[in-house]
Amino acid sequence: MIRLAIRNVFRNTRRSLLTAGMVTLGSALLCVAIAWIDGVFAQVLEMATSSSGHVRVVQPEYAELEKMMPLYANVEGVQSISDEIGSLKSVTAAYPRISVGVLITNTDEIGEHFALLMGAPLEMYSDQYELKSQLTDGSQWFEKPGDLLLGRKVAEQLDAQLGQEIRMNGMTQDGSFSGIKGRLVGIVAGDNPVQERQAFVSLEQVQYLTNMPAAATEILVFGADRTWDKVIVSEMEGLDSLKGLTVEPWSTREPWAGMVAMASVIAWILMVVIIFIASLGVWNTMTMSVMERTGEIGVLRAMGMKRFRVVGLFVLEALMIGVLGGLLGVLLGGACAYYLEVVGVGIGEDVIDNMDDTVLFSRIIRADLSVFAVTLTFMTAISM
C-alpha cells in the first residue's frame, strides 16, 4: 500500500506539487495568523497586567465606579496590608497606588492641561513599570522628596524642561481643591504610549494631595507572571485584613477577560477560513485524481482489493502530500512569524496619538511564534 501510494504521488508530479502547494500556502498563512494574534494579545495583556497588577485589592465601591476614580472609596492602612500580602509565597511584590486626574502647568497660572497623576512607591516605578530604562537623555531618577517624572506627551504639551517646577491641581477625597508642586527630574519616553501621557510622583505626595494619609485607592499584587493570578487569589483568601475588600485577578476584570475570549474567537475564525480555502484546493485536485483513475480502481477491485483498501490508498496519498505541504508550510510560515517576532511592525505616531489613553498598544507590535502555533499548524495541514 505504501509503495503503491508513493508511486501514485510521483506519477503526476505537477498535480501533486499543486496540491502540496495549496497545503503549504494554507498552513503558512495559518502559522503566521496564529503567531500574530497570540503576539498582539500577549503584548496588550502583558502591558495591562504590568500596569494594573496580576491581582488587585480595592473597595467594592471603587471596583463598581472605577472610571470615575472615586477617591473616597479608599483602603486604609495600605502599607501593612501590602506587607502582609507581599509575604505570601506566590507573591513577588505588592504596592499601594493612587491614580488621580490633575490640571498640570509649569507656570504660575492655573494649569489647562490634563494628566493622570500616579502615586506609588518608587520601587514599583523601577521594578514593575521599568521607568528607569525609559528615561530620555539628561533625565535623573528620584533624588529628593517632591521630585517627579513626566511622560513625553505631557512634557511636550507644557514645553517643560528638566529642573523646572511643575504645579498639579486636583481634589481631595472629600471634593475640595488641592495642589502640590515638584521638580521635574525626568521625562519618560518608552514603548508604552499610555505612560507618556501620565505624571509620576511618590505615594506620599499624592496622599498629601488627596488628603489620604496612610490610604490608597488600590493595592496592586504581582506574581512571577500573569498566569499566577488564580494561585495568588487562593492564598490571599485566608488573610483577615482583606475582609470587606474586593480581590480581583486580572483575568476576571474587563476589558481583559473579554479580550482573551475575543482573541480565541478571532483565532478560530481565521483558522476555519484558511483551512476551508486550502481544503477546497486539495479536494479539487484529489477529486480529479480519483476521476482520472476510474479504470485503475476497477482493475484493483477486480484483482480482489477491498473497497476500504482502495479508499485507504487515496487517503494515504493525500496524507503524504499533506505531510510534505505541512512541513514546507511550517518552515515558510515559521520564518515569516519569526521575522515578525524579532523585527515587528511599527505603529505610526499619528495612530498612537489618536488612541484613547486606556488603549495599551506598544509602538512596535510583534508576533509570538510558539510550539503550540507550529504544532497546531502542522496537525491542521495533515487534516486538510
Side-chain angles (χ1 to χ4, degrees), residues 252-277:
T252 62
R253 293 174 55 194
E254 294 297 342
W256 319 124
M259 188 173 291
V260 172
M262 183 174 64
S264 178
V265 171
I266 292 175
W268 278 107
I269 291 175
L270 280 175
M271 284 177 57
V272 170
V273 171
I274 294 172
I275 292 171
F276 177 74
I277 294 174

Short mmCIF file of all heavy atoms in Angstrom, two decimals, residues 252-277:
data_model
loop_
_atom_site.label_atom_id
_atom_site.label_comp_id
_atom_site.label_asym_id
_atom_site.label_seq_id
_atom_site.Cartn_x
_atom_site.Cartn_y
_atom_site.Cartn_z
N THR A 252 -10.38 38.22 35.38
CA THR A 252 -11.82 38.39 35.54
C THR A 252 -12.24 39.85 35.37
O THR A 252 -13.42 40.16 35.45
CB THR A 252 -12.27 37.91 36.94
OG1 THR A 252 -11.64 38.69 37.95
CG2 THR A 252 -11.91 36.44 37.13
N ARG A 253 -11.28 40.73 35.16
CA ARG A 253 -11.58 42.16 35.02
C ARG A 253 -11.76 42.51 33.55
O ARG A 253 -11.09 41.99 32.68
CB ARG A 253 -10.45 43.01 35.61
CG ARG A 253 -10.30 42.91 37.10
CD ARG A 253 -9.07 43.66 37.57
NE ARG A 253 -9.11 45.06 37.13
CZ ARG A 253 -8.06 45.86 37.17
NH1 ARG A 253 -6.89 45.40 37.59
NH2 ARG A 253 -8.17 47.12 36.78
N GLU A 254 -12.68 43.41 33.32
CA GLU A 254 -12.87 43.92 31.96
C GLU A 254 -11.94 45.12 31.74
O GLU A 254 -11.65 45.86 32.68
CB GLU A 254 -14.33 44.32 31.75
CG GLU A 254 -15.32 43.15 31.78
CD GLU A 254 -15.08 42.15 30.67
OE1 GLU A 254 -14.40 42.49 29.65
OE2 GLU A 254 -15.56 41.01 30.79
N PRO A 255 -11.46 45.30 30.50
CA PRO A 255 -11.82 44.56 29.29
C PRO A 255 -10.97 43.34 29.03
O PRO A 255 -11.10 42.70 27.99
CB PRO A 255 -11.56 45.61 28.20
CG PRO A 255 -10.40 46.38 28.72
CD PRO A 255 -10.57 46.45 30.21
N TRP A 256 -10.09 42.96 30.00
CA TRP A 256 -9.13 41.90 29.73
C TRP A 256 -9.81 40.53 29.61
O TRP A 256 -9.39 39.73 28.76
CB TRP A 256 -8.07 41.88 30.82
CG TRP A 256 -7.64 43.24 31.22
CD1 TRP A 256 -7.65 43.78 32.47
CD2 TRP A 256 -7.17 44.29 30.36
NE1 TRP A 256 -7.22 45.08 32.44
CE2 TRP A 256 -6.92 45.42 31.17
CE3 TRP A 256 -6.94 44.38 29.00
CZ2 TRP A 256 -6.45 46.62 30.65
CZ3 TRP A 256 -6.48 45.58 28.47
CH2 TRP A 256 -6.23 46.68 29.29
N ALA A 257 -10.81 40.27 30.43
CA ALA A 257 -11.50 38.98 30.33
C ALA A 257 -12.15 38.82 28.96
O ALA A 257 -12.05 37.77 28.31
CB ALA A 257 -12.55 38.85 31.43
N GLY A 258 -12.82 39.87 28.49
CA GLY A 258 -13.44 39.82 27.17
C GLY A 258 -12.41 39.76 26.07
O GLY A 258 -12.64 39.14 25.02
N MET A 259 -11.25 40.38 26.28
CA MET A 259 -10.21 40.38 25.26
C MET A 259 -9.65 38.98 25.04
O MET A 259 -9.36 38.57 23.91
CB MET A 259 -9.09 41.33 25.67
CG MET A 259 -8.05 41.55 24.60
SD MET A 259 -6.88 42.83 25.07
CE MET A 259 -7.94 44.28 25.00
N VAL A 260 -9.48 38.22 26.12
CA VAL A 260 -8.98 36.85 25.99
C VAL A 260 -9.96 36.00 25.19
O VAL A 260 -9.57 35.23 24.30
CB VAL A 260 -8.74 36.24 27.39
CG1 VAL A 260 -8.40 34.77 27.27
CG2 VAL A 260 -7.62 36.97 28.10
N ALA A 261 -11.25 36.14 25.51
CA ALA A 261 -12.27 35.39 24.77
C ALA A 261 -12.31 35.82 23.31
O ALA A 261 -12.45 34.99 22.40
CB ALA A 261 -13.64 35.60 25.42
N MET A 262 -12.17 37.13 23.07
CA MET A 262 -12.19 37.63 21.69
C MET A 262 -11.01 37.10 20.89
O MET A 262 -11.15 36.77 19.71
CB MET A 262 -12.19 39.16 21.70
CG MET A 262 -12.28 39.77 20.31
SD MET A 262 -12.46 41.57 20.36
CE MET A 262 -10.89 42.03 21.11
N ALA A 263 -9.85 37.03 21.51
CA ALA A 263 -8.66 36.53 20.82
C ALA A 263 -8.87 35.08 20.38
O ALA A 263 -8.50 34.69 19.27
CB ALA A 263 -7.44 36.63 21.72
N SER A 264 -9.50 34.29 21.25
CA SER A 264 -9.77 32.89 20.92
C SER A 264 -10.75 32.79 19.76
O SER A 264 -10.56 31.99 18.84
CB SER A 264 -10.32 32.17 22.15
OG SER A 264 -10.63 30.83 21.85
N VAL A 265 -11.80 33.61 19.78
CA VAL A 265 -12.79 33.58 18.69
C VAL A 265 -12.16 33.99 17.37
O VAL A 265 -12.38 33.35 16.33
CB VAL A 265 -13.98 34.51 19.04
CG1 VAL A 265 -14.90 34.67 17.83
CG2 VAL A 265 -14.75 33.96 20.23
N ILE A 266 -11.36 35.07 17.38
CA ILE A 266 -10.72 35.54 16.15
C ILE A 266 -9.79 34.46 15.59
O ILE A 266 -9.75 34.22 14.37
CB ILE A 266 -9.94 36.84 16.41
CG1 ILE A 266 -10.92 37.98 16.73
CG2 ILE A 266 -9.08 37.22 15.21
CD1 ILE A 266 -10.24 39.27 17.13
N ALA A 267 -9.03 33.82 16.48
CA ALA A 267 -8.11 32.78 16.02
C ALA A 267 -8.86 31.63 15.36
O ALA A 267 -8.45 31.13 14.30
CB ALA A 267 -7.29 32.26 17.21
N TRP A 268 -9.97 31.22 15.96
CA TRP A 268 -10.74 30.11 15.38
C TRP A 268 -11.39 30.50 14.06
O TRP A 268 -11.44 29.68 13.12
CB TRP A 268 -11.80 29.63 16.38
CG TRP A 268 -11.26 28.70 17.40
CD1 TRP A 268 -11.03 28.96 18.72
CD2 TRP A 268 -10.85 27.35 17.19
NE1 TRP A 268 -10.48 27.87 19.34
CE2 TRP A 268 -10.38 26.86 18.44
CE3 TRP A 268 -10.84 26.51 16.09
CZ2 TRP A 268 -9.89 25.57 18.59
CZ3 TRP A 268 -10.35 25.21 16.24
CH2 TRP A 268 -9.89 24.75 17.48
N ILE A 269 -11.87 31.72 13.96
CA ILE A 269 -12.45 32.18 12.69
C ILE A 269 -11.41 32.17 11.58
O ILE A 269 -11.66 31.68 10.46
CB ILE A 269 -13.05 33.59 12.85
CG1 ILE A 269 -14.30 33.53 13.75
CG2 ILE A 269 -13.43 34.18 11.49
CD1 ILE A 269 -14.88 34.89 14.06
N LEU A 270 -10.22 32.69 11.86
CA LEU A 270 -9.15 32.69 10.87
C LEU A 270 -8.76 31.27 10.48
O LEU A 270 -8.53 30.97 9.30
CB LEU A 270 -7.93 33.44 11.40
CG LEU A 270 -7.99 34.97 11.34
CD1 LEU A 270 -6.77 35.56 12.01
CD2 LEU A 270 -8.06 35.44 9.89
N MET A 271 -8.68 30.39 11.47
CA MET A 271 -8.34 29.00 11.18
C MET A 271 -9.36 28.36 10.26
O MET A 271 -9.00 27.71 9.27
CB MET A 271 -8.25 28.21 12.50
CG MET A 271 -7.01 28.46 13.31
SD MET A 271 -7.02 27.54 14.87
CE MET A 271 -7.21 25.86 14.28
N VAL A 272 -10.64 28.58 10.54
CA VAL A 272 -11.69 27.97 9.72
C VAL A 272 -11.64 28.50 8.29
O VAL A 272 -11.75 27.73 7.32
CB VAL A 272 -13.08 28.24 10.36
CG1 VAL A 272 -14.19 27.83 9.40
CG2 VAL A 272 -13.21 27.48 11.67
N VAL A 273 -11.46 29.82 8.14
CA VAL A 273 -11.43 30.42 6.81
C VAL A 273 -10.24 29.90 6.01
O VAL A 273 -10.38 29.49 4.84
CB VAL A 273 -11.38 31.96 6.91
CG1 VAL A 273 -11.13 32.59 5.55
CG2 VAL A 273 -12.69 32.49 7.48
N ILE A 274 -9.06 29.92 6.61
CA ILE A 274 -7.84 29.48 5.91
C ILE A 274 -7.92 27.99 5.57
O ILE A 274 -7.59 27.57 4.45
CB ILE A 274 -6.60 29.78 6.75
CG1 ILE A 274 -6.41 31.30 6.90
CG2 ILE A 274 -5.35 29.16 6.13
CD1 ILE A 274 -5.31 31.70 7.86
N ILE A 275 -8.38 27.19 6.53
CA ILE A 275 -8.49 25.75 6.28
C ILE A 275 -9.51 25.47 5.19
O ILE A 275 -9.30 24.61 4.31
CB ILE A 275 -8.87 25.01 7.58
CG1 ILE A 275 -7.71 25.09 8.59
CG2 ILE A 275 -9.22 23.56 7.31
CD1 ILE A 275 -8.07 24.57 9.96
N PHE A 276 -10.62 26.19 5.20
CA PHE A 276 -11.66 25.98 4.19
C PHE A 276 -11.13 26.28 2.78
O PHE A 276 -11.34 25.49 1.85
CB PHE A 276 -12.86 26.88 4.49
CG PHE A 276 -13.96 26.79 3.47
CD1 PHE A 276 -14.79 25.68 3.41
CD2 PHE A 276 -14.15 27.81 2.55
CE1 PHE A 276 -15.79 25.59 2.46
CE2 PHE A 276 -15.15 27.74 1.60
CZ PHE A 276 -15.98 26.61 1.55
N ILE A 277 -10.42 27.41 2.63
CA ILE A 277 -9.90 27.78 1.31
C ILE A 277 -8.86 26.77 0.84
O ILE A 277 -8.89 26.33 -0.32
CB ILE A 277 -9.30 29.20 1.37
CG1 ILE A 277 -10.40 30.23 1.64
CG2 ILE A 277 -8.59 29.53 0.05
CD1 ILE A 277 -9.89 31.63 1.85
#
